[in-house]
Amino acid sequence: RVFATGGIGGAHRGSELNFDISADLTQLARSATNVVCAGPKAILDIPKTIELLESLGIPLITYKEENVPAFWSRDSGIASPIVAKSVREIVDSFIIRSELGLKTAQLICNPIPLKDEISREEISPLIDESIKIALAKNIVGKELTPFLLSQILSSTQGKSLKANEALLFNNIDLATKIANTLSKI
């Protein structure tokens, strides 16, 4: 009933033209579980991804912050549709959704710890440059995300990998708390 991951895929920038949308969203629409992540990957079109989640009936719940995180960054600048101030709120939402027979996941966005984040101001220009390089090399589809992540790893001199590790452990910690709380109900 609980799954932890780093970040979710979603609508890539330009997806309104090429329909490059991750299968993550389709799977979330089919799986009645709590998915804990550090938000949509920052390489994506986050507003479009949030809109698609809403269209698919997948609630996005941000844990203890007002704005949706963007993977390496604690704050995407986009207000969260739902904010949970406690693990119990997340669990109560899941139980109510289960009792109603809803079959989609609820996406729990857990911001990366402050000490480990790469700020939006620092990472955004690096993402933009990586996307320009990918376009120039005509890298698209399933090759795009690994290429962009590799470019960003290089341009941050490894800082993005350390942030990935920190956010994953942070997500595992929250997922464990959710699972423990669910097991007591």
Side-chain angles (χ1 to χ4, degrees):
R1 299 187 293 172
V2 183
F3 177 78
T5 188
I8 62 155
H12 277 273
R13 298 172 192 197
S15 62
E16 70 278 6
L17 302 173
N18 61 21
F19 294 96
D20 190 357
I21 299 170
S22 169
D24 290 13
L25 301 184
T26 306
Q27 191 58 50
L28 290 169
R30 297 180 183 151
S31 305
T33 189
N34 290 282
V35 176
V36 179
C37 71
K41 291 185 178 120
I43 59 174
L44 300 172
D45 184 322
I46 295 175
K48 265 193 215 119
T49 298
I50 292 170
E51 197 62 40
L52 283 168
L53 288 164
E54 181 182 326
S55 295
L56 293 167
I58 303 160
L60 184 155
I61 302 168
T62 301
Y63 185 58
K64 292 187 175 181
E65 294 294 332
E66 297 299 318
N67 287 343
V68 176
F71 197 60
W72 297 298
S73 306
R74 291 180 58 79
D75 186 347
S76 67
I78 299 166
S80 181
I82 305 168
V83 176
K85 296 293 184 188
S86 69
V87 169
R88 186 59 197 230
E89 285 181 52
I90 294 167
V91 170
D92 288 346
S93 172
F94 182 73
I95 291 168
I96 290 167
R97 291 176 52 74
S98 297
E99 289 172 354
L100 290 171
L102 300 174
K103 303 294 184 199
T104 63
Q106 60 178 24
L107 184 65
I108 316 306
C109 293
N110 184 29
I112 183 172
L114 183 59
K115 67 181 176 43
D116 300 304
E117 90 164 320
I118 304 172
S119 73
R120 183 171 30 131
E121 295 75 23
E122 181 182 347
I123 199 75
S124 290
L126 302 176
I127 293 169
D128 293 343
E129 182 60 28
S130 297
I131 290 171
K132 285 181 191 171
I133 293 167
L135 288 172
K137 293 183 175 192
N138 198 30
I139 298 171
V140 296
K142 65 181 180 180
E143 288 82 29
L144 182 59
T145 296
F147 175 81
L148 293 174
L149 295 177
S150 175
Q151 284 292 123
I152 292 164
L153 175 66
S154 176
S155 62
T156 61
Q157 294 147 0
K159 189 175 177 182
S160 63
L161 181 60
K162 290 177 184 172
N164 284 7
E165 204 172 86
L167 65 84
L168 181 57
F169 285 118
N170 191 50
N171 294 341
I172 291 168
D173 181 61
L174 178 57
T176 301
K177 290 173 181 170
I178 293 167
N180 284 336
T181 303
L182 273 169
S183 72
K184 295 173 184 172
I185 295 175

